Amino acid sequence: MTQLSEIRQRWQALGAKPEHAAHLLRRWLHARPLHEDGRRRMEDWLPKALLAALPAIEQELHALARVVSSHPAADGSARCLLALADGQTVESVLLPRSEGLCVSTQVGCAVGCTFCMTGTMGLLRQLGSAEIVAQVALARTQRAVAKVVFMGMGEPAHNLSATLEAIQALGREGGIGHKQLVLSSVGDARLFERLAALGPGQVRPALALSLHSTQAERRAELLPRAPRLEPAALLEAGLRYARASGYPLQVQWTLLHGVNDGDDELAALVPLLRAQPAILNMIPYNEVDGLPHRRPSPERCTEIFRFLNQRGVLTRMRYSAGQDVDGGCGQLRARTAPTGVGQRPVVRLQLA
Ligand code: SF4
């Protein structure tokens, strides 16, 4: 896995000053050739050794991720299966709204959510920060990207340093508005500590928390290897960051028929989220062959939407993108990877 910090160090060894490195990153992250710049001659500006290495640098950056297959859907989204330099594959999704892109932070995932195909794989390896931002550079060769959500394969809090390094680069050289960088997590004490420590000169992302239940026991069944934080305490930590950052907390809730779509859950959500700086995203489950869960009926989804909004919980009903093309996270990889679902993790979870 390649980190941006390693790449920067290699460029520094070739004589690059911070402004040269920032320039090259900017060109790459906007899908523009490194050796061109309309305003000045590269020969007059870049150190000689760096200039000579540009073709090799460009080749290395392009090799970080390449499109194996692209699957456009009727809703305007496109799910892409990407190959990394070592042949491992991850998914990213061009979203139909807001020029958004959903990126992966790990190959597989250790959390093991019972409704997610990626969770059945275990963690195969971490992505380096360069591999995370490469998904954006690659997507920009196809269309504009103005928003990046870290909701693809993997749990960002389990690859925290690389994810935060990628966020800094996307907010600076990548030109993406800080509020448009949405870090999604099941919640982890270290994540809240690191977010709180981001200073005024650093890029602060928006935060999305995957809650899925207000009851600790039910949540532990659904997200078996997520940190054991009480749902109310988890929300409070997220809301604290929302108040500090000025961005509303996004609360993710995959609606599962007969599991977390009951009146008990709705009643418990109201005092937790009413009049708080939060948006509750209810996501009716996208059914997956081989996994046990079912989607609630459209009538029940409407009832839930009305009940919560009428009681002061700002609720949106969101449908996951690209449902007609293996829309659940991890399905493309599971269908196409030769080793596929059920492959045992080859590395232990490493927390960064
Ligand atoms: S839903 Fe997210 S955290 Fe849960 S297993 Fe899938 S990728 Fe991991």
Side-chain angles (χ1 to χ4, degrees):
M1 58 181 172
T2 310
Q3 307 291 0
L4 285 168
S5 49
E6 295 163 9
I7 290 179
R8 278 199 181 94
Q9 275 167 16
R10 286 206 293 275
W11 292 352
Q12 206 179 353
L14 294 167
K17 296 198 170 113
E19 60 268 28
H20 300 135
H23 172 80
L24 294 185
L25 271 183
R26 234 183 342 262
R27 298 289 298 178
W28 174 45
L29 292 179
H30 286 88
R32 296 195 187 120
L34 299 188
H35 54 274
E36 285 175 14
D37 182 340
R39 291 179 300 129
R40 59 196 150 193
R41 280 165 37 97
M42 289 291 97
E43 295 81 350
D44 298 338
W45 188 59
L46 288 183
K48 278 206 171 56
L50 187 63
L51 191 66
L54 279 188
I57 289 172
E58 200 145 35
Q59 213 173 0
E60 183 199 2
L61 296 178
H62 287 163
L64 286 168
R66 65 180 173 80
V67 178
V68 175
S69 57
S70 179
H71 307 257
D75 62 7
S77 66
R79 304 188 71 84
C80 300
L81 186 70
L82 309 181
L84 307 172
D86 65 355
Q88 286 286 4
T89 51
V90 291
E91 296 178 15
S92 69
V93 187
L94 291 158
L95 300 169
R97 285 179 300 272
S98 328
E99 296 180 336
L101 177 74
C102 175
V103 298
S104 295
T105 53
Q106 298 180 306
V107 184
C109 182
V111 180
C113 299
T114 61
F115 48 83
C116 171
M117 187 57 93
T118 301
T120 65
M121 299 170 191
L123 176 66
L124 300 178
R125 81 161 168 87
Q126 306 280 29
L127 260 63
S129 52
E131 293 171 315
I132 298 173
V133 302
Q135 295 168 66
V136 179
L138 197 53
R140 277 180 165 163
T141 64
Q142 298 170 55
R143 60 147 233 214
V145 174
K147 176 173 187 168
V148 177
V149 299
F150 294 76
M151 295 183 187
M153 295 171 71
E155 163 51 48
H158 289 175
N159 191 13
L160 195 47
S161 293
T163 300
L164 290 176
E165 188 173 45
I167 284 171
Q168 298 306 308
L170 290 173
R172 287 178 183 153
E173 290 87 2
I176 294 180
H178 302 184
K179 193 180 170 183
Q180 304 303 323
L181 292 160
V182 184
L183 194 166
S184 173
S185 173
V186 297
D188 187 300
R190 281 159 305 185
L191 170 69
F192 296 119
E193 279 166 25
R194 295 282 294 272
L195 288 177
L198 289 173
Q202 291 178 290
V203 178
R204 287 174 135 187
L207 178 63
L209 284 182
S210 300
L211 189 65
H212 307 305
S213 178
T214 57
Q215 299 174 24
E217 222 170 281
R218 184 176 288 156
R219 190 169 186 270
E221 279 168 22
L222 290 173
L223 286 66
R225 287 180 289 284
R228 292 283 182 266
L229 292 170
E230 278 292 321
L234 180 62
L235 277 182
E236 192 38 53
L239 289 168
R240 211 174 303 129
Y241 177 69
R243 288 183 204 107
S245 64
Y247 312 144
L249 174 68
Q250 298 186 38
V251 180
Q252 309 292 99
W253 187 290
T254 299
L255 269 174
L256 306 166
H257 170 67
V259 178
N260 64 357
D261 65 342
D263 292 346
D264 56 336
E265 292 280 16
L266 303 188
L269 275 168
V270 174
L272 291 172
L273 290 178
R274 181 173 44 207
Q276 296 291 348
I279 298 165
L280 176 60
N281 291 316
M282 285 286 185
I283 307 146
Y285 183 56
N286 191 28
E287 294 179 16
V288 178
D289 284 346
L291 297 184
H293 297 292
R294 294 289 165 258
R295 171 192 286 219
S297 68
E299 295 75 25
R300 181 61 184 155
C301 292
T302 305
E303 273 173 22
I304 290 169
F305 176 80
R306 288 210 182 114
F307 179 93
L308 291 167
N309 276 303
Q310 282 167 357
R311 283 158 185 79
V313 177
L314 179 56
T315 306
R316 296 187 296 205
M317 201 57 69
R318 306 301 288 261
Y319 290 84
S320 46
Q323 291 182 19
D324 48 337
V325 285
D326 288 342
C329 162
Q331 279 179 270
L332 273 185
R333 185 192 144 95
R335 189 157 56 79
T336 50
T339 39
V341 181
Q343 178 180 0
R344 295 190 69 77
V346 295
V347 292
R348 289 193 174 279
L349 175 62
Q350 289 179 346
L351 302 173

